[in-house]
Amino acid sequence: MAEPDSWEDVEEGGGGDAQTRSAPPTSSVAAAATVVAKLNADAPAFTFNPSAASFTPFVPAPRPLHVPAPAYVHPLAAAPRPTSAALNAGADLHPAHRPSFVSGASALTVLAGRNSESSHATDADSEPAISSQASEVRDLDVDLKQNAAVEEISSQSKEKAAAPSNGTVEKDEHEESAAHDAESWNKPAQALEEDKDHRQHLNVVFIGHVDAGKSTIGGQILYLSNMVDERTIQKYEREAKEKNRESWYMAYIMDTNEEERAKGKTVEVGRAHFETEKTRFTILDAPGHKNYVPNMISGASQADVGVLVIAARRGEFETGFERGGQTREHAQLAKTLGVSKLLVAVNKMDDPSVQWSKERFDEIEKKIIPFLKACGYNVRKDVQFLPISGLFGHNMKERMPATMCDWWDGPCLFEALDAVELPERSPNGPFRMPLIDKYRDMGTVVMGKIESGSVRRGDTLMIMPNKATVKVVSVYRDNDEVNYARPGENLRIRLSGIEEEDISPGFVISSVRSPIPAVLEFDAQLQILELLDHKAIFTAGYKAVLHIHAVVEECEIMGLLHQIDPKTKKPMRKKILFVKSGAVVVVRIQVNELICVEKFEDFPQLGRFTLRDEGKTVAIGKVVNFPKIASTQN
């Protein structure tokens, strides 16, 4: 190949012999020597010989043509091997002693020093490497321009630093952009989440006698709201048919436990989510069997709205509503646990013994209304009846056609749920979240419903009664991770600062500044319902099981303070030693372990409870006061 006419030709990638190049201009040599001399003052990593008469570029070893060329590595990025002249001069070429950046002339010098060692390559090795040599020179030209720009920026920075300060700091465009990005990144989580979804959230618990169709209705709701696909339904149909329980396939959506599917009875509280255009719902499928009433209480304590499911089939309604049936107990417990709105879903109206009979529907309504009034419900405002068929989904998502039921012109189940309005919840109150469950998943994860206040990712909270300070790592609503959650939401929260074994159901996450009281004793107003036949007197020393939010704890009545006059609602002056069924009395209750409770007037959901004895609810009550010696609140 022809030799280049000038040094500029080499920079532009011109051809020439691989072993010989013309020397660079004297001005370039002088400039390079000046820059390197300045760099050597701080980091003596390079030496420069201005008497060098020629420049021998680096000639890499030949590579096979079929092997792709490796990514380009800047010569300054690799540790330079010292030449004999450099070693004799005592230069230190270790990478740790290099300057932070190198000028263009210094880059040429280093490259020349490295290439002098590879000048022993044979002529046969030189010819295949000409194209790679030209490519490296072009890349070097780009680096020269970049280093020149770096030098210019550095000089400008030094001028700014040397300029006299007048007490003000001016930000350049890059600093302003970085500040803007940081401000956007640190945007409040509340704004990020509140802009996303403004729909109200309702917790709906399905209660009623065993085999009334609660799980089937819950599964049908998920299917109608497209939360379950057709393929899954077909799978459940096959499983139910193999067990000769063809009508149970919808219940399999909610009853995921094999024991529940085999027996056809819900044991644990099922949990699922669906939504409409107006509202987001959390479904709580409570067990109906009397042996699992404690689980039902746990589910109802989280609910805002109750759906009392009643089987219209001949004989089934009477069995559930008679003395000892779970229809009565569930309705009473729901009111006690704070379920203020109730939908009475008369299910199985498609049964051959009913066939959408208006007479049967009216008969059930007339028998239920007096009992609901006795439980404390305002039947006109808080209770609504509607006929449905949970198995086939009639009158659930859409209203029934007149050809099926010509006497019903009311709403369907979805419309009735959407129309429920709850009082406004304040997100600014002290944070309260009773824990119903916990597990380990990349940390400690707890579950519960926010009763007061709001939570954001990064908040520092306190778990009572063990007074453990924790930090919120992440918040999950339904199946989505969110930055912010409002009161009434059922959440999963991942915490740091506490282990799973240090948490028990019934513990409460609360604000650090305003923790929930943890007590061993409290005063409560009790409504005695129906005592056991062999324990017909309620007096000091009576022992029962206390259910308050997620707490289940044995308790003892320490004393009867006074009885309430049922007519005047005021305390009676007469001192009492015992009461019987139907009485209203203020008592002092003691528990064995610290529990977290609130006064009913401050936080109703954390101040109402039930007393059960031998599997039967014997009293309902509310917390009215804390004896000073019992409270452990800071």
Side-chain angles (χ1 to χ4, degrees):
M1 292 186 180
E3 202 171 276
D5 295 335
S6 66
W7 177 254
E8 285 76 9
D9 293 339
V10 176
E11 291 186 331
E12 294 175 0
D17 186 69
Q19 299 294 328
T20 306
R21 292 290 185 271
S22 59
T26 305
S27 60
S28 301
V29 173
T34 302
V35 174
V36 172
K38 293 180 179 179
L39 295 174
N40 289 341
D42 297 327
F46 302 96
T47 59
F48 181 74
N49 185 9
S51 63
S54 63
F55 170 70
T56 304
F58 170 71
V59 180
R63 292 190 298 266
L65 296 178
H66 66 278
V67 178
Y72 171 72
V73 179
H74 194 282
L76 299 177
R81 292 178 297 176
T83 62
S84 58
L87 291 175
N88 293 334
D92 185 2
L93 297 182
H94 192 276
H97 296 111
R98 290 187 207 165
S100 58
F101 75 93
V102 183
S103 66
S106 299
L108 293 176
T109 305
V110 175
L111 185 59
R114 293 183 61 187
N115 291 341
S116 64
E117 295 181 347
S118 60
S119 60
H120 301 288
T122 62
D123 294 339
D125 295 336
S126 303
E127 283 299 327
I130 296 299
S131 60
S132 62
Q133 170 64 31
S135 174
E136 186 168 354
V137 171
R138 285 194 299 269
D139 292 334
L140 182 59
D141 179 58
V142 174
D143 293 327
L144 293 175
K145 296 178 181 179
Q146 292 177 347
N147 286 333
V150 172
E151 290 178 355
E152 182 180 357
I153 294 174
S154 177
S155 62
Q156 293 176 358
S157 300
K158 292 179 180 179
E159 292 176 0
K160 289 183 178 180
S165 175
N166 57 358
T168 61
V169 179
E170 295 182 358
K171 293 185 179 179
D172 58 15
E173 295 180 358
H174 299 285
E175 292 174 341
E176 292 179 356
S177 176
H180 176 72
D181 293 341
E183 183 179 357
S184 300
W185 181 263
N186 295 324
K187 184 179 180 181
Q190 179 179 2
L192 290 174
E193 184 58 30
E194 286 182 342
D195 295 341
K196 184 177 179 181
D197 197 339
H198 292 277
R199 292 176 296 178
Q200 69 173 350
H201 176 264
L202 289 179
N203 299 283
V204 183
V205 62
F206 287 84
I207 57 177
H209 193 65
V210 63
D211 291 335
K214 300 181 295 297
S215 299
T216 299
I217 294 174
Q220 188 68 253
I221 288 176
L222 297 180
Y223 174 65
L224 294 175
S225 57
N226 299 321
M227 302 301 291
V228 182
D229 56 20
E230 188 69 33
R231 195 172 184 178
T232 304
I233 294 296
Q234 293 175 359
K235 173 188 174 183
Y236 291 157
E237 283 183 318
R238 291 193 299 269
E239 291 182 8
K241 190 173 182 179
E242 291 174 358
K243 298 177 181 179
N244 295 323
R245 297 289 187 270
E246 289 85 352
S247 62
W248 289 5
Y249 72 96
M250 276 294 176
Y252 284 5
I253 300 174
M254 297 298 298
D255 295 338
T256 57
N257 192 320
E258 287 299 328
E259 178 186 358
E260 294 177 332
R261 293 182 178 181
K263 295 182 178 180
K265 297 177 182 178
T266 301
V267 178
E268 300 291 339
V269 177
R271 190 181 304 270
H273 311 277
F274 78 101
E275 56 188 34
T276 62
E277 294 181 358
K278 181 181 176 182
T279 313
R280 293 181 296 105
F281 295 95
T282 297
I283 297 177
L284 302 167
D285 180 24
H289 198 277
K290 63 181 180 179
N291 292 342
Y292 308 121
V293 171
N295 294 344
M296 175 267 168
I297 293 175
S298 174
S301 65
Q302 307 168 51
D304 306 306
V305 182
V307 178
L308 179 61
V309 181
I310 294 175
R313 182 181 294 164
R314 299 287 178 180
E316 286 193 13
F317 164 69
E318 287 75 13
T319 301
F321 190 66
E322 67 184 9
R323 184 177 179 180
Q326 296 308 299
T327 301
R328 286 177 174 268
E329 186 172 14
H330 281 205
Q332 197 168 49
L333 287 173
K335 180 61 177 178
T336 303
L337 296 169
V339 178
S340 57
K341 306 287 184 180
L342 192 67
L343 299 179
V344 182
V346 183
N347 191 26
K348 303 183 182 180
M349 289 291 292
D350 58 314
D351 188 79
S353 64
V354 181
Q355 296 183 350
W356 298 97
S357 170
K358 186 177 185 302
E359 289 74 15
R360 179 62 171 171
F361 181 82
D362 293 340
E363 176 187 355
I364 293 173
E365 185 176 2
K366 290 179 181 178
K367 290 183 178 180
I368 289 289
I369 286 179
F371 174 73
L372 295 180
K373 287 182 178 180
C375 292
Y377 284 102
N378 187 330
V379 179
R380 294 184 178 181
K381 295 182 178 180
D382 301 333
V383 179
Q384 184 174 4
F385 288 79
L386 66 160
I388 63 170
S389 171
L391 183 61
F392 299 102
H394 298 320
N395 203 38
M396 293 185 64
K397 186 177 181 180
E398 298 178 354
R399 297 190 180 190
M400 293 179 294
T403 55
M404 180 180 297
C405 183
D406 55 357
W407 52 269
W408 178 257
D409 58 354
C412 61
L413 180 61
F414 278 37
E415 292 174 346
L417 289 173
D418 262 338
V420 174
E421 295 184 1
L422 294 177
E424 290 291 333
R425 304 183 178 107
S426 174
N428 301 321
F431 186 73
R432 298 288 187 269
M433 177 176 164
L435 303 182
I436 61 172
D437 201 1
K438 43 91 181 199
Y439 60 92
R440 182 181 296 277
D441 180 15
M442 297 176 62
T444 302
V445 181
V446 295
M447 300 172 58
K449 174 190 173 186
I450 300 179
E451 298 293 353
S452 173
S454 57
V455 64
R456 294 175 178 82
R457 185 171 57 186
D459 282 354
T460 299
L461 302 171
M462 179 178 288
I463 294 185
M464 296 292 287
N466 55 1
K467 299 182 180 179
T469 302
V470 297
K471 185 175 182 180
V472 177
V473 178
S474 52
V475 181
Y476 297 91
R477 185 184 67 194
D478 300 343
N479 297 320
D480 302 323
E481 183 175 357
V482 297
N483 296 320
Y484 170 78
R486 296 167 291 188
E489 300 279 5
N490 265 285
L491 303 176
R492 290 178 292 122
I493 299 180
R494 181 174 284 113
L495 302 173
S496 64
I498 194 170
E499 297 297 328
E500 176 194 5
E501 54 268 18
D502 297 330
I503 302 175
S504 298
F507 283 17
V508 178
I509 304 180
S510 61
S511 306
V512 175
R513 294 184 178 180
S514 178
I516 186 172
V519 300
L520 289 170
E521 291 184 355
F522 59 91
D523 297 341
Q525 179 176 313
L526 289 181
Q527 167 72 55
I528 309 299
L529 300 178
E530 187 175 357
L531 297 172
L532 301 175
D533 293 338
H534 61 283
K535 297 171 67 175
I537 294 178
F538 191 87
T539 184
Y542 193 99
K543 295 183 178 181
V545 178
L546 171 72
H547 295 262
I548 182 167
H549 56 85
V551 174
V552 181
E553 186 73 26
E554 292 186 0
C555 69
E556 181 179 354
I557 307 301
M558 303 304 296
L560 278 59
L561 304 183
H562 52 261
Q563 188 173 359
I564 303 296
D565 190 336
K567 296 181 179 180
T568 61
K569 308 297 181 183
K570 295 181 179 180
M572 300 173 63
R573 295 182 179 181
K574 181 180 178 181
K575 186 176 180 179
I576 55 173
L577 298 176
F578 65 91
V579 292
K580 296 184 178 181
S581 299
V584 179
V585 61
V586 176
V587 301
R588 177 159 296 176
I589 299 177
Q590 184 182 78
V591 292
N592 298 327
E593 301 290 341
L594 284 172
I595 62 173
C596 299
V597 296
E598 290 276 9
K599 294 182 181 179
F600 180 82
E601 60 183 5
D602 298 333
F603 294 90
Q605 203 64 26
L606 301 176
R608 54 167 63 98
F609 62 91
T610 62
L611 293 181
R612 290 176 55 81
D613 188 11
E614 298 183 13
K616 183 179 180 180
T617 302
V618 296
I620 58 177
K622 59 183 181 181
V623 179
V624 296
N625 193 25
F626 297 130
K628 294 182 179 180
I629 59 173
S631 178
T632 63
Q633 184 180 3
N634 292 336

